[in-house]
Amino acid sequence: MLEKVQLKKKFDTGKFDHRASVLKQVLWYFCSALFFRSGLIPFSVVLVALLRLFGAKIGRDVRIKPYIHIKFPWKLTLGDHSWLAECFIENLDDVSIGANCCVSQGAMLMTGNHDYKSKNFDLLTQPIILEDGVWIGARAIVCPGVTCKSHAVLSMASVAHHDLEAYSIYQGAPAVKVRERVVG
């Protein structure tokens, strides 16, 4: 006989580590709601300073746009000259974004999912890496465990389930390589 999924209000997160105290998580929740997701503070320099205050490792001359969602800033690394638009970073695991990267409007970086084979719907997490020069297009999705290699492009509304090759442009759901990226 086949087993059935048993969803519970408090499911088992296994070895998941928030890497922050409950107080820090609560303070971030309110800071994020008030200053990031509300759009109340449109100044990138203020948003960058707040992210650093909560443990994000951020390089020089970074642009953070209002209305952004970042789950845990202490699990975020962002290189020099990168831009984060109004995007959704659900970083239950580490997210590393290199230098000169762009994550466009409505894009999602999802480091977590659930094990559909488990009757308890266990939490699974894997890091995401965007190497230097990567562009994640508007409404595109990067799934857990994906590495987007140097200067790869994930075009608008595409879904990356697997690693993207360097200097390549990907499109579709699931994303497939459509051509080489030539930077001039």
Side-chain angles (χ1 to χ4, degrees):
M1 174 174 266
L2 295 175
E3 296 228 16
K4 294 185 179 186
V5 171
Q6 178 59 53
L7 297 179
K8 298 176 183 172
K9 184 176 180 181
K10 184 166 175 57
F11 66 93
D12 183 11
T13 58
K15 297 177 185 175
F16 179 70
D17 184 4
H18 287 88
R19 285 192 247 155
S21 68
V22 172
L23 177 61
K24 184 174 185 177
Q25 292 175 64
V26 169
L27 289 173
W28 171 247
Y29 175 84
F30 287 107
C31 179
S32 176
L34 184 61
F35 299 120
F36 287 80
R37 290 182 276 160
S38 72
L40 184 64
I41 303 290
F43 308 108
S44 185
V45 67
V46 174
L47 299 177
V48 166
L50 287 169
L51 286 170
R52 284 182 177 139
L53 182 68
F54 278 92
K57 296 171 196 75
I58 300 178
R60 297 181 327 269
D61 194 32
V62 167
R63 299 285 180 243
I64 307 287
K65 296 293 188 174
Y67 304 106
I68 190 170
H69 169 89
I70 299 170
K71 182 73 172 180
F72 298 133
W74 48 90
K75 294 184 180 187
L76 177 66
T77 301
L78 186 57
D80 297 341
H81 313 291
S82 288
W83 293 19
L84 299 180
E86 179 186 332
C87 61
F88 192 93
I89 301 175
E90 186 71 8
N91 57 335
L92 299 171
D93 208 321
D94 293 319
V95 169
S96 177
I97 300 172
N100 301 297
C101 291
C102 178
V103 181
S104 298
Q105 297 84 347
M108 296 173 66
L109 306 181
M110 302 294 295
T111 62
N113 206 344
H114 295 277
D115 184 356
Y116 64 87
K117 296 176 185 175
S118 165
K119 72 176 185 175
N120 297 324
F121 214 46
D122 299 329
L123 178 65
L124 301 173
T125 67
Q126 290 181 293
I128 289 175
I129 299 169
L130 307 183
E131 294 181 357
D132 293 348
V134 167
W135 177 19
I136 305 300
R139 298 234 182 259
I141 299 171
V142 179
C143 294
V146 170
T147 296
C148 300
K149 304 219 187 232
S150 178
H151 293 81
V153 174
L154 182 62
S155 66
M156 185 183 337
S158 297
V159 181
H161 292 277
H162 302 287
D163 293 354
L164 306 185
E165 294 175 21
Y167 289 92
S168 299
I169 299 173
Y170 287 79
Q171 184 176 29
V176 294
K177 182 177 174 179
V178 293
R179 65 183 153 281
E180 299 291 322
R181 179 182 186 187
V182 179
V183 179

